[in-house]
Amino acid sequence: MTHTETLTRYVANFVDELVQTGLTDVVLSPGSRSTPLSMTFAEHEAVNHWIHVDERSAAFFALGIAKEQQKPVAIVCTSGTAAANYYPAIVEAYYSRVPLLVLTADRPHELRNVGAPQAIDQIHMFGQYVKWFEEMALPESSEAMLRYVRSKAARAFYTSLDHNPGPVHLNFPFRSPLIPDFSLDHLWGESSDRSFHHAYQGERKVQPELIGEIKERVDKHQKGLIVCGPQTDRDLPVAITQLARHLQLPVLADPLSQVRSGQHEKDHVIESYDAILKSPTVREQFVPDFIIRFGAMPVSKPYWLMLQDHPEIEQYVVEPYEGFREPSGNAASLIFADGKHFCDTWVNHFESSFFDVEWLKKWQEANQLAKATLIENQETTLSEGHIFTEILKSFPEEGSLFVGNSMPIRDLDTFMLTTPKSIRTLANRGANGIDGVVSSAFGAAAHGEKVTLVLGDLSFFHDLNGLFAAKQFGLDLRIVVINNEGGGIFSFLPQAEHKNHFEPLFGTPLALDYSKVIEMYGGQYEEVATWQQFRDSIGRSSEAKGLSVIEVKTNREENAAWHRQKWKQIEHALLER
């Protein structure tokens, strides 16, 4: 058998096995050494192949697809620093628990460490940020080797999904020539209707006896909280709100919890808890005896400060699989079980507890006062927080809102009120970076989901290459760029007091004309200066096809003062009630 036939059958069996396990999407970046993988993926009719020339943007694009589809997506690149450009997205995927299949081509062993071009050490190059690494064998065409390659493909797919999802890395050394021969008979090998290693996932259940033990402990107290941080389980919001009604407890719902939107009951949902807890004086009035938390730690810093100030609060953290996401450093009981099953078991097996009824009312009244202050809009100039208020008013009944880090996610936390609309909220909150956000939002829109991206000008600048997806694939994406000429979040931090160094080190104004960039990528661009212009532009963009960018220019110092005024008004209203 020739080298070309050996290479072709080896790679074709690998690709076909990924399809058998359930892979539907691969993001390819051009390069010579990855030719066997790229061409074979492109040849397989059951795989959507997306081509992105920038590896960093390509990996974040795949991350966005995987977030929206909630299934593994493959990324393929050539050898050398191309693979290194994947690193930020792989870190994000690891910490945000998103499944990625990282497939890097490499030089064969005889060309390593001898000065050959485009050859770097790719063995374990992503370190602890991948769940599993495998240096693949050089291609052979024996039946044993074809079974081997199918076994590795199946294992990679299921490992990326097993327990806490995350990235896996397979490194492929290829010798030249690299062009596969797709005219071969029986090209895809021994395909079947099931994977080579078919895996069945069972539900992670919790026994009623354990719930009974937890109930016995919390029943000793009067004031409890249910907290839901960032999470993606679409069934969990209903279960959590049913548990809250059963226990008559408030639910502090992070904007990425998926609890603030949807058709489920929200009488117990406290969406303005971040604003309520901003004041240290007010915060002391809302300290609970115990907390039952689902999902990751919430975005809210005041919530975290409350935990820091009161390590005596009993915490029960429900995680689907092993993981110690408790950054406050306080003691916590960890329950590794499916969150929905945990809630359902409690509701179905135990009568309601008798907690302080005034505690729930106190939270609900505070929530109403805070919301009334937050939605009050008498400004004539554009304010960053109310940008979310206006976007959510005109948001479609179904769709996804992708939010950048720094100030946008915090403003979403403050200004996203409960709604019956089915709004899926997404963000790259694993490592909380500002890189790759544009690409991830395009990935989330890749399968036709209506997506609106809201981000700051620095995040936008960091991923301008991500806009290539609009031109390359004709995807629909509405982007709202909040341009406060640099790092607006630093205006809220102590660094702002150091005027001599603030602007060059933290403010970092860019003074760029983004309209030229949008034109280059074939998008529609509008700059708005008034609320009416913003509302009109949002309305037009909701019907637009392709890339639509709305730029809102604000002032960093005015924005910080506006936020502080809102928080002070809420503090006064809560202290005087």
Side-chain angles (χ1 to χ4, degrees), residues 353-372:
S353 299
F354 295 96
F355 300 118
D356 183 357
V357 294
E358 295 302 317
W359 171 252
L360 173 61
K361 291 180 181 178
K362 182 178 179 179
W363 273 101
Q364 291 172 324
E365 290 170 1
N367 195 46
Q368 292 304 316
L369 281 172
K371 287 198 295 185

Side-chain angles (χ1 to χ4, degrees), residues 405-420:
N405 285 313
S406 296
M407 278 309 298
I409 185 61
R410 288 166 174 82
D411 276 333
L412 182 70
D413 194 3
T414 302
F415 292 93
M416 181 182 183
L417 306 184
T418 55
T419 174

Side-chain angles (χ1 to χ4, degrees), residues 61-126:
F61 181 78
L63 183 79
I65 299 176
K67 278 179 180 283
E68 194 274 329
Q69 294 283 293
Q70 295 191 318
K71 61 189 296 188
V73 174
I75 50 177
V76 174
C77 73
T78 192
S79 62
T81 56
N85 279 281
Y86 280 166
Y87 214 112
I90 289 171
V91 171
E92 174 61 31
Y94 176 81
Y95 282 116
S96 58
R97 300 180 175 180
V98 176
L100 286 182
L101 305 179
V102 184
L103 312 178
T104 56
D106 201 352
R107 302 283 165 163
H109 302 77
E110 66 269 19
L111 293 181
R112 298 177 185 176
N113 297 311
V114 294
Q118 210 167 322
I120 68 172
D121 185 357
Q122 296 178 199
I123 306 302
H124 293 287
M125 70 178 299
F126 302 118

Side-chain angles (χ1 to χ4, degrees), residues 247-264:
L247 298 179
Q248 289 298 293
L249 291 177
V251 179
L252 309 191
D254 185 89
L256 301 176
S257 67
Q258 320 308 323
V259 173
R260 296 191 192 183
S261 64
Q263 294 294 321
H264 52 272

Side-chain angles (χ1 to χ4, degrees), residues 12 15-16 19-20 39-49 188:
V15 169
D16 186 69
V19 173
Q20 296 302 317
M39 289 185 65
T40 307
F41 271 116
E43 183 73 12
H44 205 297
E45 296 180 351
V47 183
N48 300 310
H49 62 279
W188 303 111

Side-chain angles (χ1 to χ4, degrees), residues 17 20 30 75 155 220 242 253 262 270 323 332 383 417 446 458 477 480-481 489 538-539 547:
E17 185 58 37
Q20 296 302 317
I75 50 177
R155 179 179 173 184
K220 298 174 183 177
Q242 286 176 344
I270 311 297
S383 51
L417 306 184
L458 285 184
L477 181 65
V480 177
V481 179
I489 195 169
I538 284 291
L547 171 64

